[in-house]
Amino acid sequence: MTDTDVPQAETVSKVDTVMGDPGPTGRFGEFGGRFVPETLVPACAELERAFREKWLDEGFRGEFETLLRTYAGRPSMLTRADRISEELGLTLLLKREDLNHTGSHKINNVLGQALLAKHMGKTRLIAETGAGQHGVATATAAALMGMECLVYMGEVDMERQALNVFRMKLLGAEVRPALSGSRTLKDAVNEAMRAWVAEVEETHYCLGSVMGPHPYPFMVREFHRVIGDEAREQCREMTGGDPDVATACVGGGSNAAGLFVGFADTDTELVGVEPAGGAAVGRAVPGVVHGSKSYLMQDEFGQVLEAESISAGLDYPGVGPEHAHLAAIGRARYEQVTDAEVLDAFQLLSRTEGIIPALEPSHALAWVMRDREALAGKTVLLNLSGRGDKDVEQVQGILG
Amino acid sequence: MTATERSAAPTPVADAPATIGAIEAKLRERREAGAKLLVPYVTAGISPDWTDIVRAVADAGADAIEIGLPFSDPVMDGPVIQEASDRALAAGTDPPAVLDALAEIDAGVPLAIMTYYNLVFRAGDARFAASLAQAGVSGAILPDLPLEESGDWAAAADEADIETIMLVAPTAPDDRLPQVINRCRGFVYSVGLVGITGERSELARSALELAARVKPLTDKPVLVGVGVSTPEQAAEVSTVADGVVVGSALVRVLLEGGGTSGAADLVGRFRHALDAG
Ligand SMILES: Cc1ncc(COP(=O)(O)O)c(C=O)c1O
């Protein structure tokens, strides 16, 4: 097959270790792969080749790290949330991805992909977005690097996140509504994939999570591993050891993957938190959509179901394939929380720590609050993946 | 914690069986008789009378027919086929009902199912392949199942004597084309442009270019589909290819309420242009 000439360099850790290299076929256990139209197969192979080469290249790594440090504002801080810790009877450490430029973890991946796309000679980025955070981050990177940018966003999400739509436009991007299906993130992915099929030669599809066809789940995790790598150092410095638990919200699962990969080879328990209305791992039915095999919310015939969540960024019926694998082998577990629990968490963190979180990471906090008894006395590292500015208007509407 | 887990590599793709299935046999026979080949596409469930439409399309000169089994997230399809799929799904169309209807249809030409892999995967490769065979369907086109991922399905389809029609695309490097073509049964689906299904005012140059790259590599029938929108375009591309697949142009007529007579009329015009070509 044509893929056998892809360099099989072991870029991070060996193939077949937990959260290692998924190899040339992009497999995380039985999950992953490259289920794309034939038109895109060469583009995926080219992207994989370019990523593997650049990720081993010190010059590229240096450029990426400089961008993260001098543009995104890394390293992000680790904050001990003392008041909430006292209230819950545990030690809560917050990895402050909310303090990154553009307000979420999404910038890590986007800077990596935009830099790679530029090295590959692409002139245009397309992206899908749910909450708008990935769209804003992509538009930002495109502006920074002088590239064109087109973002697909579900029509429903454009209403929920109108400010982010305006931000993207300010940044020079074009925002196109996805009008099909549920008109949320899933449909934005469909539209972005269709656009990519049509413009694959000059365009890079800047996918926003650890999903899609190989190499995306692997590549996006690697661009986010800075979260887990930093947090591991910071935890050791602050507490003298690894946390008992590392937790993050899971939509596609990029912020969780970036955190988990830093602790995959430790004894730290890994807990992903999904919205109850978008619990792909919770339901654990395998399926194939958007380029990979993973867990997927679907009906008895395989039609994809629409997710239902207060948080536009988690309103997705699938999940990245590596999370399906981590769940299947028991290395991570996945909990589900309701919108009401999320709203409580959102308010608690605001009130007790002076940090207004995004609704997405409020899911992880909601689980910590619910399971506080089981977590009593433990050190819990929570990835605070984004700040809540984008959500305050929506929450105001709900709380009145 | 050092739990390791061996990656389950995808099932290797076995060579295609040497036997010729019903679709390929029919297309070869027609080609040998000097005809250019016409394979129209109809979305199952697009209207209550969709089986009548399939029969009308057969009677109007189709050599084989693609039956679209609607999927919720058709990433290879443009607005026309998306709309048709949405309508069919909203009307409650599901795979068993479609296959039951096809078992009764007796269209007189071989049929191929065109759908997305999740509907197959959910049912199970072997079960799905057997259900196609039982319904009298001869082939399957799964546009999101490229060669490297098709091992499980191809094995099940070969076993059930279902022809797996593979797509070749203009973006394929030269060394890839023979690999995909070798695994093609029924016919080689030569994608007419870099993009998704939908009508185009002009035939893309890539349609002719790809067909010209593919034809010398195989004597299997080579049909161009995606972006073949008018009888004239069909005739033009068939100067190089063995024929065409016509999707969005026909489905649009159906969405606009053309019904059996509108479908027969359009297919008749494609037939005429190909025969005159
Ligand atoms: C702040 C924040 N966290 C999390 C997510 C979900 O993405 P992922 O699951 O890939 O981390 C989003 C998506 O928009 C987000 O904006």
Side-chain angles (χ1 to χ4, degrees), chain A residues 268-345:
Chain A
T268 299
E269 193 186 347
L270 308 176
V271 181
V273 184
E274 304 180 294
V281 186
R283 300 183 183 205
V285 184
V288 176
V289 81
H290 295 157
S292 55
K293 186 182 292 181
S294 186
Y295 290 138
L296 175 67
M297 288 170 52
Q298 56 190 309
D299 73 9
E300 61 182 306
F301 303 114
Q303 307 292 358
V304 182
L305 296 174
E306 290 167 8
E308 195 72 60
S309 167
I310 189 173
S311 141
L314 304 183
D315 218 344
Y316 183 70
V319 66
E322 190 162 30
H323 288 291
H325 177 57
L326 291 172
I329 63 170
R331 178 60 190 97
R333 75 186 157 98
Y334 295 80
E335 298 279 343
Q336 291 77 36
V337 294
T338 65
D339 288 352
E341 291 173 312
V342 169
L343 283 169
D344 287 345

Side-chain angles (χ1 to χ4, degrees), chain A residues 198-214:
Chain A
E199 294 162 26
V200 60
E201 274 140 11
E202 59 283 354
T203 300
H204 173 71
Y205 179 18
C206 186
L207 226 165
S209 193
V210 285
M211 41 181 264
H214 181 54

Side-chain angles (χ1 to χ4, degrees), chain A residues 331-368:
Chain A
R331 178 60 190 97
R333 75 186 157 98
Y334 295 80
E335 298 279 343
Q336 291 77 36
V337 294
T338 65
D339 288 352
E341 291 173 312
V342 169
L343 283 169
D344 287 345
F346 178 88
Q347 293 171 86
L348 181 70
L349 193 67
S350 303
R351 216 172 41 237
T352 53
E353 297 292 339
I355 298 169
I356 301 176
L359 284 169
E360 290 83 7
S362 299
H363 284 66
L365 183 60
W367 167 69
V368 173

Side-chain angles (χ1 to χ4, degrees), chain A residues 16-272:
Chain A
D16 292 335
T17 59
V18 174
M19 300 200 85
D21 185 326
T25 63
R27 285 307 195 276
F28 304 95
E30 64 176 294
F31 301 101
R34 184 177 284 161
F35 294 83
V36 291
E38 174 63 21
T39 308
L40 293 178
V41 171
C44 290
E46 181 201 339
L47 180 62
E48 181 185 0
R49 206 174 292 122
F51 169 68
R52 287 183 180 279
E53 188 196 313
K54 292 296 174 194
W55 201 231
L56 289 174
D57 177 69
E58 275 176 33
F60 180 87
R61 289 292 277 257
E63 268 183 271
F64 180 49
E65 276 152 26
T66 301
L67 279 173
L68 290 178
R69 201 178 60 246
T70 65
Y71 189 73
R74 301 205 74 92
S76 70
M77 297 191 291
L78 188 72
T79 300
R80 186 161 46 211
D82 284 330
R83 294 193 64 220
I84 208 168
S85 293
E86 197 178 330
E87 179 153 345
L88 298 177
L90 43 81
T91 301
L92 184 67
L93 307 177
L94 303 174
K95 180 60 177 162
R96 301 293 305 279
E97 294 298 300
D98 61 317
L99 296 178
N100 294 339
H101 179 44
T102 70
S104 81
H105 71 291
K106 299 280 182 189
I107 193 78
N108 305 326
N109 166 47
V110 154
L111 289 174
Q113 285 197 48
L115 195 61
L116 183 62
K118 197 150 184 177
H119 277 278
M120 292 172 75
K122 306 282 176 178
T123 54
R124 191 160 184 256
L125 299 177
I126 52 176
E128 81 297 334
T129 196
Q133 290 305 95
H134 175 60
V136 167
T138 306
T140 299
L144 176 69
M145 302 200 190
M147 300 171 92
E148 266 183 72
C149 181
L150 170 61
V151 180
Y152 288 93
M153 188 169 187
E155 196 184 30
V156 169
D157 292 336
M158 287 181 74
E159 275 164 41
R160 286 200 274 196
Q161 301 288 346
L163 266 179
N164 270 343
V165 174
F166 184 64
R167 281 190 188 102
M168 287 183 262
K169 290 181 180 166
L170 272 178
L171 291 160
E174 183 189 345
V175 183
R176 275 195 211 154
L179 301 170
S180 57
S182 56
R183 292 169 292 133
T184 61
L185 182 54
K186 154 176 107 74
D187 311 285
V189 177
N190 288 338
E191 286 305 328
M193 288 194 76
R194 291 177 183 125
W196 189 32
V197 171
E199 294 162 26
V200 60
E201 274 140 11
E202 59 283 354
T203 300
H204 173 71
Y205 179 18
C206 186
L207 226 165
S209 193
V210 285
M211 41 181 264
H214 181 54
Y216 284 100
F218 172 44
M219 177 176 74
V220 175
R221 182 197 78 197
E222 289 302 300
F223 286 145
H224 278 305
R225 71 175 302 133
V226 64
I227 302 172
D229 289 345
E230 282 176 11
R232 180 171 170 154
E233 287 306 307
Q234 290 165 323
C235 282
R236 286 180 180 176
E237 212 167 284
M238 188 178 281
T239 69
D242 296 328
D244 298 305
V245 178
T247 185
C249 63
V250 175
S254 66
N255 87 90
L259 183 73
F260 291 178
V261 73
F263 298 92
D265 62 349
T266 70
D267 290 331
T268 299
E269 193 186 347
L270 308 176
V271 181

